Amino acid sequence: MRYFGVYILAGLLLLSSIPLMGQTDVVARLDLNRRDPKPDFYEYSPVDGGLVTLGPSSLASNRFLSVTKYDKNLKKQWTKKVVEQNGRKNIDFVAVIGSNILVFVSEFFLKEGVIKTYYYGFDLEGNEIANEETLSVYPNQKEQKVELQYVLSPNKRQLLCYKNLKNKRDSEQILYYIFDDEGDLVQNGEMELKYPDNRFQVVSLRVSNSGNIFVLGKFFRTITVKEATDFQYVVYRYDISQGQGREIQIELGDRYITNLAFRLDRDENIFVAGFYSNRSTDQIAGTVLQQIRPDGTIALNSNEAFDEGFLRNYLSNSQIQRGRELRNFYLDSENGIILRSDGGVLLIAEKFYITYQSYRDLAGYWVDREIYHYEDVILTSIDGNGNIEWHAIVDKAQESESPTALSYFNAISSQGSYIFYEYKPRKRDINIYYNTIGMTGRVSERIPLLNDYKFGDQFFPRFCEQINNDEALMVYMQNRGKVLSVVKVKFAG
């Protein structure tokens, strides 16, 4: 799901055919100008290659929200009004599962003192399949006022909707609802993990092709982390058919783990990978990889330190000899780990930090500025035995008081990886640039993507999405909020 929210100002995306490991072609585009209402959500439809959006029905009013369906060429097929706002409704998200479009809504009923979550549904032809079907009704309490989220299974045929309740005094509680690719609610219930909520942090959830739920979490044994043993990562596997779960230990030794990500393959093998440090939780010195079989046994548990050749990109020889480590590199918990066919992984991390500045304005008042920095992207390829094969570095330096248009979008094809980002190189114009990274880690030169990108335009990498092995949806805004375009780009093999 891609949620524009308050950032949907609008813009025009004009892509030309520029080489990208061969040829990159724009195969479809949707342009919404100043006369068109702008959507708040959009979703890709794998069944027919189309697009689904949800947003205001008109420019004049936000009272009614409509679902709009576009075909594979991003031409409008139909529009249906689906929600009438009354000040108490919150759109949780829109999802496409199989040939079904589901819109989830939470509504607060103050008189009754409850929160009701329900959903609407349409098929891809616009026929109604669900109308305000109740998903849950819970007391209107603080711990219930959390967003409904979702994730799809690897084969895109299971939709897991969940709420991670916020009750600090009790065990971790997760409400779940599973829909199949027919759009039917097939399972629902509540998982209760034994960890107290104020000591347990959910990193991410996954659902397998069989509908079982997996939770990667971080358990803090102490409030303040001083030693590597003060916290532990765990994977919790919840068997839907049995209605019970079990913990799978993540044994990574006595090192500090900066961050971890995990993925499932089609057979429920678990891949947990990330970075470790010998010093603290905000540094990295090497990689960890653990492969866990469906029965919970460990197939591989490995770690490998970064070699000096890689460290020299950021540290001097004397710093390396003193055991200095890299700082401020973080792995995206959702998209930072890519599975390899040999049982290894590709890790993608970015350097991120915040600085603070204070100055006195013309009126004599002190003003504090928060500056977001998004810098190099590093890719690390780890083979099926846990050994680092290569590193690749995409160098960039972005900074702004608003992080909305910063960071990067990555896509993976059979030819390698692509890193897209807005940038202004020295003595060159600002543009959306990209680097390609081949199967052996070779990084291409920085290449501009657009012919008419100019200062004031904005590329939004967080709204972009890879939709299959050959295509991605790119979002770009231009001309001070007058036109929004979603463009389908095809990567040649």
Side-chain angles (χ1 to χ4, degrees), residues 188-256:
N188 69 285
E190 180 177 318
M191 291 189 297
E192 183 169 336
L193 283 66
K194 63 181 181 181
Y195 306 102
D197 198 317
N198 64 341
R199 303 272 294 279
F200 190 84
Q201 175 187 342
V202 174
V203 176
S204 58
L205 277 80
R206 304 279 184 189
V207 59
S208 72
N209 292 343
S210 302
N212 295 319
I213 302 172
F214 294 76
V215 181
L216 175 63
K218 191 175 183 181
F219 173 60
F220 295 88
R221 296 186 177 91
T222 61
I223 301 300
T224 302
V225 176
K226 296 182 179 180
E227 303 292 339
T229 54
D230 289 343
F231 67 94
Q232 178 185 10
Y233 281 93
V234 298
V235 170
Y236 188 82
R237 181 186 186 276
Y238 188 81
D239 190 313
I240 291 296
S241 63
Q242 301 294 323
Q244 58 186 8
R246 61 184 173 89
E247 177 188 290
I248 301 174
Q249 292 288 336
I250 305 297
E251 300 295 343
L252 299 172
D254 58 355
R255 296 174 173 85
Y256 291 96

Coordinates of all heavy atoms in Angstrom, one line a residue, residues 188-256:
N188 N -9.3 -15.3 12.0 CA -9.1 -14.1 12.8 C -8.9 -14.6 14.2 O -9.3 -15.6 14.6 CB -10.3 -13.1 12.7 CG -11.5 -13.7 13.3 OD1 -12.2 -14.6 12.7 ND2 -11.9 -13.2 14.4
G189 N -8.3 -13.7 15.0 CA -8.0 -14.1 16.4 C -7.1 -13.1 17.0 O -6.9 -12.0 16.6
E190 N -6.5 -13.5 18.1 CA -5.6 -12.7 18.9 C -4.4 -13.5 19.3 O -4.5 -14.6 19.9 CB -6.3 -12.1 20.1 CG -5.5 -11.2 21.0 CD -6.2 -10.6 22.2 OE1 -7.4 -10.2 22.0 OE2 -5.7 -10.6 23.3
M191 N -3.2 -13.0 19.0 CA -2.0 -13.6 19.5 C -1.6 -12.9 20.8 O -1.5 -11.6 20.8 CB -0.9 -13.5 18.5 CG -1.1 -14.3 17.2 SD 0.4 -14.2 16.2 CE 0.5 -12.5 15.8
E192 N -1.2 -13.6 21.8 CA -0.7 -13.0 23.0 C 0.7 -13.6 23.2 O 0.9 -14.8 23.5 CB -1.6 -13.3 24.2 CG -1.1 -12.7 25.5 CD -2.1 -12.7 26.6 OE1 -3.3 -12.9 26.3 OE2 -1.7 -12.7 27.8
L193 N 1.7 -12.7 23.1 CA 3.1 -13.1 23.3 C 3.4 -12.9 24.8 O 2.8 -12.0 25.5 CB 4.0 -12.3 22.5 CG 4.1 -12.6 21.0 CD1 2.8 -12.4 20.3 CD2 5.3 -11.8 20.4
K194 N 4.3 -13.8 25.3 CA 4.5 -13.8 26.8 C 5.3 -12.5 27.3 O 5.4 -12.3 28.5 CB 5.3 -15.0 27.2 CG 6.7 -15.1 26.5 CD 7.4 -16.4 26.9 CE 8.8 -16.5 26.3 NZ 9.4 -17.7 26.6
Y195 N 5.8 -11.8 26.4 CA 6.6 -10.6 26.7 C 5.7 -9.4 27.1 O 4.8 -9.1 26.4 CB 7.5 -10.2 25.6 CG 8.4 -11.3 25.1 CD1 8.0 -12.0 23.9 CD2 9.5 -11.8 25.8 CE1 8.8 -13.0 23.4 CE2 10.3 -12.8 25.3 CZ 9.9 -13.5 24.1 OH 10.7 -14.5 23.7
P196 N 6.1 -8.7 28.2 CA 5.3 -7.5 28.6 C 5.5 -6.5 27.5 O 6.6 -6.3 26.9 CB 6.0 -7.1 29.9 CG 7.3 -7.7 29.9 CD 7.2 -9.0 29.2
D197 N 4.5 -5.7 27.2 CA 4.4 -4.8 26.1 C 5.5 -3.7 26.2 O 6.1 -3.2 25.3 CB 3.1 -4.1 26.0 CG 2.8 -3.5 24.6 OD1 3.7 -2.8 24.1 OD2 1.8 -3.7 24.0
N198 N 5.8 -3.3 27.5 CA 6.8 -2.2 27.6 C 8.2 -2.7 27.5 O 9.1 -1.9 27.7 CB 6.6 -1.5 29.0 CG 6.8 -2.5 30.2 OD1 6.8 -3.7 30.0 ND2 7.0 -1.9 31.3
R199 N 8.4 -4.0 27.3 CA 9.7 -4.6 27.2 C 10.0 -5.2 25.8 O 11.0 -5.8 25.5 CB 10.0 -5.6 28.3 CG 9.8 -5.1 29.7 CD 11.0 -4.5 30.2 NE 12.1 -5.5 30.4 CZ 12.1 -6.4 31.5 NH1 11.2 -6.3 32.4 NH2 13.1 -7.2 31.5
F200 N 8.9 -5.2 25.0 CA 9.0 -5.9 23.7 C 8.7 -4.9 22.6 O 7.7 -4.2 22.6 CB 8.0 -7.1 23.7 CG 8.2 -8.0 22.5 CD1 9.1 -9.0 22.5 CD2 7.4 -7.8 21.4 CE1 9.2 -9.9 21.5 CE2 7.5 -8.7 20.3 CZ 8.5 -9.7 20.3
Q201 N 9.5 -4.9 21.5 CA 9.3 -4.1 20.4 C 9.1 -5.0 19.1 O 10.0 -5.7 18.8 CB 10.5 -3.2 20.2 CG 10.5 -2.3 18.9 CD 11.8 -1.6 18.7 OE1 12.6 -1.4 19.6 NE2 12.0 -1.1 17.5
V202 N 8.0 -4.8 18.5 CA 7.7 -5.6 17.3 C 8.5 -4.9 16.1 O 8.3 -3.7 15.9 CB 6.2 -5.6 16.9 CG1 6.0 -6.3 15.6 CG2 5.5 -6.4 18.0
V203 N 9.4 -5.6 15.5 CA 10.2 -5.0 14.4 C 9.4 -5.2 13.1 O 9.2 -4.2 12.3 CB 11.5 -5.7 14.2 CG1 12.3 -5.2 13.0 CG2 12.3 -5.5 15.5
S204 N 8.8 -6.4 12.8 CA 8.0 -6.5 11.6 C 7.3 -7.9 11.7 O 7.6 -8.7 12.4 CB 8.9 -6.5 10.3 OG 9.9 -7.5 10.3
L205 N 6.2 -7.9 10.9 CA 5.4 -9.1 10.8 C 5.4 -9.6 9.3 O 5.5 -8.9 8.4 CB 3.9 -8.9 11.2 CG 3.6 -8.9 12.7 CD1 4.0 -7.6 13.3 CD2 2.1 -9.2 12.9
R206 N 5.3 -11.0 9.2 CA 5.2 -11.6 7.9 C 4.1 -12.7 8.0 O 3.8 -13.2 9.0 CB 6.5 -12.3 7.5 CG 7.7 -11.3 7.4 CD 7.8 -10.5 6.2 NE 9.0 -9.7 6.1 CZ 9.2 -8.8 5.2 NH1 8.3 -8.6 4.3 NH2 10.3 -8.1 5.2
V207 N 3.5 -13.0 6.8 CA 2.6 -14.1 6.7 C 3.1 -15.0 5.6 O 3.5 -14.6 4.6 CB 1.1 -13.6 6.5 CG1 1.0 -12.8 5.2 CG2 0.1 -14.8 6.5
S208 N 3.0 -16.3 5.9 CA 3.6 -17.3 4.9 C 2.5 -17.6 3.9 O 1.3 -17.2 4.0 CB 4.0 -18.5 5.7 OG 2.9 -19.3 6.1
N209 N 2.9 -18.4 2.9 CA 1.9 -18.8 1.9 C 0.9 -19.7 2.5 O -0.2 -19.9 1.9 CB 2.7 -19.5 0.8 CG 3.5 -18.6 -0.1 OD1 3.4 -17.4 0.0 ND2 4.5 -19.2 -0.8
S210 N 1.2 -20.3 3.6 CA 0.2 -21.2 4.3 C -0.7 -20.5 5.2 O -1.6 -21.0 5.9 CB 0.9 -22.3 5.0 OG 1.7 -23.1 4.2
G211 N -0.4 -19.2 5.4 CA -1.3 -18.4 6.3 C -0.8 -18.3 7.7 O -1.4 -17.7 8.6
N212 N 0.4 -18.9 8.0 CA 1.0 -18.8 9.4 C 1.6 -17.4 9.6 O 2.2 -16.8 8.6 CB 1.9 -19.9 9.6 CG 1.3 -21.3 9.6 OD1 0.2 -21.4 10.2 ND2 1.9 -22.2 9.0
I213 N 1.6 -16.9 10.8 CA 2.1 -15.6 11.1 C 3.5 -15.6 11.8 O 3.7 -16.4 12.7 CB 1.1 -14.8 12.0 CG1 -0.3 -14.7 11.3 CG2 1.6 -13.4 12.3 CD1 -1.3 -14.2 12.2
F214 N 4.4 -14.8 11.4 CA 5.7 -14.7 11.9 C 6.0 -13.3 12.4 O 5.7 -12.3 11.7 CB 6.8 -15.1 10.9 CG 6.7 -16.6 10.5 CD1 5.7 -17.0 9.6 CD2 7.6 -17.5 11.0 CE1 5.6 -18.3 9.2 CE2 7.5 -18.9 10.6 CZ 6.5 -19.3 9.7
V215 N 6.5 -13.2 13.6 CA 6.8 -11.9 14.2 C 8.3 -11.8 14.6 O 8.8 -12.7 15.3 CB 6.0 -11.6 15.5 CG1 6.3 -10.2 16.1 CG2 4.5 -11.8 15.2
L216 N 9.0 -10.8 14.0 CA 10.3 -10.5 14.5 C 10.3 -9.4 15.5 O 9.7 -8.4 15.3 CB 11.2 -10.1 13.3 CG 12.7 -9.7 13.7 CD1 13.4 -10.8 14.3 CD2 13.4 -9.1 12.5
G217 N 10.8 -9.7 16.7 CA 10.7 -8.8 17.8 C 12.0 -8.6 18.6 O 12.9 -9.4 18.4
K218 N 12.0 -7.6 19.3 CA 13.2 -7.3 20.1 C 12.8 -7.2 21.6 O 12.0 -6.3 22.0 CB 13.8 -5.9 19.6 CG 15.2 -5.6 20.2 CD 15.7 -4.3 19.5 CE 17.1 -4.0 19.9 NZ 17.6 -2.7 19.3
F219 N 13.4 -8.1 22.4 CA 13.0 -8.1 23.8 C 14.1 -7.5 24.7 O 15.3 -7.9 24.6 CB 12.8 -9.6 24.3 CG 12.6 -9.7 25.7 CD1 11.5 -9.1 26.4 CD2 13.4 -10.5 26.5 CE1 11.3 -9.2 27.7 CE2 13.2 -10.7 27.9 CZ 12.2 -10.0 28.5
F220 N 13.7 -6.5 25.5 CA 14.7 -5.8 26.3 C 14.6 -6.4 27.7 O 13.6 -6.3 28.4 CB 14.4 -4.3 26.4 CG 14.6 -3.6 25.0 CD1 13.5 -3.5 24.1 CD2 15.8 -3.0 24.7 CE1 13.7 -2.9 22.9 CE2 15.9 -2.4 23.5 CZ 14.9 -2.3 22.6
R221 N 15.7 -6.9 28.2 CA 15.8 -7.4 29.5 C 16.0 -6.3 30.6 O 15.6 -6.5 31.7 CB 17.0 -8.4 29.7 CG 16.8 -9.7 28.8 CD 17.9 -10.7 29.1 NE 17.7 -11.9 28.3 CZ 18.3 -12.1 27.1 NH1 19.0 -11.1 26.5 NH2 18.1 -13.2 26.5
T222 N 16.6 -5.2 30.1 CA 16.7 -4.1 31.0 C 16.2 -2.8 30.3 O 16.1 -2.8 29.1 CB 18.2 -3.9 31.4 OG1 19.0 -3.6 30.2 CG2 18.7 -5.1 32.1
I223 N 15.9 -1.8 31.0 CA 15.3 -0.6 30.4 C 16.4 0.2 29.6 O 16.2 0.7 28.5 CB 14.8 0.4 31.5 CG1 13.6 -0.4 32.2 CG2 14.2 1.6 30.9 CD1 12.5 -0.8 31.4
T224 N 17.6 0.2 30.2 CA 18.8 0.9 29.6 C 19.7 -0.2 29.0 O 20.2 -1.0 29.8 CB 19.5 1.8 30.5 OG1 18.6 2.8 31.0 CG2 20.6 2.6 29.8
V225 N 20.0 -0.1 27.8 CA 20.9 -1.1 27.1 C 22.4 -0.7 27.4 O 22.8 0.3 26.9 CB 20.6 -1.3 25.6 CG1 21.6 -2.2 25.0 CG2 19.2 -1.8 25.4
K226 N 23.1 -1.5 28.2 CA 24.5 -1.2 28.4 C 25.4 -2.3 27.9 O 26.5 -2.1 27.6 CB 24.7 -1.0 29.9 CG 24.0 0.2 30.5 CD 24.3 0.4 32.0 CE 23.7 1.6 32.5 NZ 24.0 1.8 34.0
E227 N 24.8 -3.5 27.9 CA 25.6 -4.7 27.4 C 24.8 -5.4 26.2 O 23.6 -5.2 26.1 CB 25.8 -5.7 28.5 CG 26.5 -5.1 29.8 CD 27.9 -4.8 29.5 OE1 28.5 -5.4 28.5 OE2 28.5 -4.0 30.2
A228 N 25.6 -6.1 25.4 CA 24.9 -6.8 24.3 C 23.9 -7.8 24.8 O 22.9 -8.1 24.0 CB 26.0 -7.5 23.5
T229 N 24.0 -8.3 26.0 CA 23.1 -9.3 26.5 C 21.8 -8.7 27.1 O 21.0 -9.4 27.6 CB 23.8 -10.2 27.5 OG1 24.4 -9.4 28.5 CG2 24.9 -11.0 26.9
D230 N 21.7 -7.3 27.1 CA 20.6 -6.7 27.7 C 19.3 -6.7 26.8 O 18.3 -6.3 27.3 CB 20.9 -5.2 28.0 CG 21.9 -5.0 29.1 OD1 22.1 -6.0 29.9 OD2 22.5 -4.0 29.2
F231 N 19.5 -7.2 25.6 CA 18.3 -7.3 24.7 C 18.6 -8.5 23.8 O 19.7 -9.0 23.6 CB 18.1 -6.1 23.9 CG 19.1 -5.8 22.9 CD1 19.0 -6.2 21.6 CD2 20.2 -5.0 23.2 CE1 20.0 -5.9 20.6 CE2 21.2 -4.7 22.3 CZ 21.1 -5.2 21.0
Q232 N 17.5 -9.0 23.2 CA 17.6 -10.2 22.4 C 16.5 -10.1 21.3 O 15.4 -9.7 21.6 CB 17.4 -11.5 23.2 CG 17.4 -12.8 22.4 CD 17.1 -14.0 23.3 OE1 16.6 -13.9 24.4 NE2 17.3 -15.2 22.7
Y233 N 16.9 -10.5 20.1 CA 15.9 -10.7 19.0 C 15.3 -12.1 19.1 O 16.0 -13.1 19.4 CB 16.6 -10.5 17.7 CG 16.8 -9.0 17.3 CD1 18.0 -8.4 17.6 CD2 15.8 -8.3 16.6 CE1 18.3 -7.1 17.2 CE2 16.1 -7.0 16.3 CZ 17.3 -6.4 16.6 OH 17.5 -5.1 16.2
V234 N 14.0 -12.2 18.8 CA 13.3 -13.4 18.7 C 12.4 -13.4 17.5 O 11.9 -12.4 17.1 CB 12.5 -13.7 20.0 CG1 13.4 -13.8 21.2 CG2 11.4 -12.7 20.2
V235 N 12.1 -14.6 17.0 CA 11.1 -14.8 16.0 C 10.0 -15.7 16.6 O 10.2 -16.7 17.3 CB 11.6 -15.5 14.7 CG1 10.5 -15.9 13.8 CG2 12.6 -14.6 14.0
Y236 N 8.8 -15.2 16.5 CA 7.6 -15.9 17.1 C 6.8 -16.4 15.9 O 6.4 -15.7 15.0 CB 6.8 -15.0 18.0 CG 5.7 -15.6 18.7 CD1 6.0 -16.3 19.9 CD2 4.4 -15.7 18.3 CE1 4.9 -16.9 20.7 CE2 3.4 -16.3 19.0 CZ 3.7 -16.9 20.2 OH 2.7 -17.5 20.9
R237 N 6.6 -17.7 15.9 CA 5.8 -18.4 14.8 C 4.4 -18.8 15.4 O 4.4 -19.5 16.3 CB 6.5 -19.6 14.2 CG 5.7 -20.3 13.1 CD 6.5 -21.6 12.7 NE 5.8 -22.2 11.5 CZ 4.8 -23.0 11.6 NH1 4.2 -23.3 12.8 NH2 4.3 -23.6 10.5
Y238 N 3.4 -18.3 14.7 CA 2.0 -18.6 15.2 C 1.4 -19.5 14.1 O 1.2 -19.1 13.0 CB 1.2 -17.3 15.4 CG -0.1 -17.5 16.0 CD1 -0.2 -17.7 17.4 CD2 -1.3 -17.6 15.3 CE1 -1.5 -17.9 18.0 CE2 -2.5 -17.8 15.9 CZ -2.6 -17.9 17.2 OH -3.8 -18.1 17.8
D239 N 1.0 -20.7 14.6 CA 0.4 -21.7 13.7 C -1.1 -21.4 13.7 O -1.8 -21.6 14.7 CB 0.7 -23.1 14.2 CG 0.2 -24.2 13.2 OD1 -0.9 -24.1 12.7 OD2 1.1 -25.1 12.9
I240 N -1.6 -21.0 12.5 CA -3.1 -20.7 12.4 C -4.0 -21.9 12.7 O -5.0 -21.8 13.3 CB -3.4 -20.0 11.0 CG1 -2.7 -18.7 10.9 CG2 -4.9 -19.9 10.8 CD1 -3.3 -17.6 11.9
S241 N -3.6 -23.0 12.1 CA -4.5 -24.2 12.2 C -4.5 -24.7 13.7 O -5.6 -25.2 14.1 CB -3.9 -25.3 11.3 OG -2.6 -25.7 11.7
Q242 N -3.5 -24.5 14.4 CA -3.4 -25.0 15.8 C -3.9 -23.9 16.8 O -4.2 -24.2 18.0 CB -2.0 -25.5 16.2 CG -1.5 -26.6 15.3 CD -2.3 -27.9 15.5 OE1 -2.7 -28.2 16.6 NE2 -2.5 -28.6 14.4
G243 N -3.8 -22.6 16.3 CA -4.2 -21.6 17.2 C -3.2 -21.3 18.3 O -3.5 -20.9 19.4
Q244 N -1.9 -21.7 18.1 CA -0.9 -21.5 19.1 C 0.4 -21.2 18.5 O 0.6 -21.4 17.3 CB -0.8 -22.7 20.0 CG -0.4 -24.0 19.2 CD -0.4 -25.2 20.1 OE1 -0.8 -25.2 21.2 NE2 0.0 -26.3 19.5
G245 N 1.3 -20.6 19.3 CA 2.6 -20.2 18.7 C 3.8 -20.7 19.5 O 3.6 -21.2 20.6
R246 N 5.0 -20.5 19.0 CA 6.2 -20.8 19.7 C 7.3 -19.9 19.3 O 7.3 -19.3 18.2 CB 6.6 -22.3 19.4 CG 6.9 -22.5 17.9 CD 7.2 -24.0 17.7 NE 7.3 -24.3 16.3 CZ 8.5 -24.3 15.6 NH1 9.6 -23.9 16.3 NH2 8.5 -24.6 14.4
E247 N 8.2 -19.7 20.3 CA 9.3 -18.8 20.0 C 10.5 -19.5 19.4 O 10.8 -20.7 19.7 CB 9.8 -18.2 21.4 CG 11.0 -17.3 21.3 CD 11.5 -16.9 22.7 OE1 10.8 -16.2 23.4 OE2 12.6 -17.4 23.1
I248 N 11.1 -18.9 18.4 CA 12.3 -19.4 17.8 C 13.5 -18.5 18.2 O 13.4 -17.3 17.9 CB 12.2 -19.5 16.3 CG1 11.0 -20.4 15.9 CG2 13.5 -20.0 15.6 CD1 10.7 -20.4 14.4
Q249 N 14.4 -19.1 18.9 CA 15.5 -18.3 19.4 C 16.4 -17.8 18.3 O 16.7 -18.5 17.3 CB 16.4 -19.1 20.4 CG 15.6 -19.4 21.7 CD 15.5 -18.1 22.6 OE1 16.2 -17.2 22.5 NE2 14.5 -18.2 23.4
I250 N 16.9 -16.6 18.3 CA 17.8 -16.0 17.4 C 19.2 -15.9 18.2 O 19.4 -15.0 18.9 CB 17.4 -14.6 16.9 CG1 16.0 -14.7 16.2 CG2 18.4 -14.1 15.9 CD1 15.9 -15.6 15.0
E251 N 20.0 -16.9 18.0 CA 21.3 -17.0 18.7 C 22.4 -16.3 17.9 O 22.9 -16.8 16.9 CB 21.7 -18.4 19.0 CG 20.6 -19.1 19.9 CD 20.5 -18.6 21.3 OE1 21.4 -17.8 21.7 OE2 19.5 -18.9 22.0
L252 N 22.8 -15.1 18.3 CA 23.8 -14.3 17.5 C 25.0 -14.0 18.3 O 25.8 -13.1 18.0 CB 23.1 -13.1 16.9 CG 21.9 -13.3 16.0 CD1 21.3 -12.0 15.6 CD2 22.4 -14.0 14.7
G253 N 25.2 -14.7 19.4 CA 26.4 -14.5 20.2 C 26.3 -13.3 21.1 O 25.2 -12.8 21.4
D254 N 27.4 -12.8 21.6 CA 27.4 -11.7 22.5 C 27.8 -10.4 21.9 O 28.3 -9.4 22.5 CB 28.5 -11.9 23.6 CG 29.9 -12.2 23.1 OD1 30.0 -12.2 21.8 OD2 30.8 -12.3 23.9
R255 N 27.4 -10.2 20.6 CA 27.6 -9.0 19.9 C 26.4 -8.1 20.0 O 25.3 -8.6 20.2 CB 28.0 -9.3 18.4 CG 29.2 -10.1 18.2 CD 29.4 -10.4 16.7 NE 30.7 -11.0 16.4 CZ 30.9 -12.3 16.6 NH1 30.0 -13.1 17.0 NH2 32.1 -12.8 16.3
Y256 N 26.6 -6.8 19.8 CA 25.5 -5.9 19.7 C 25.0 -6.0 18.3 O 25.7 -6.0 17.3 CB 26.0 -4.4 19.9 CG 26.4 -4.1 21.3 CD1 27.7 -4.2 21.7 CD2 25.5 -3.7 22.3 CE1 28.1 -3.8 23.0 CE2 25.8 -3.4 23.5 CZ 27.2 -3.5 23.9 OH 27.5 -3.1 25.2

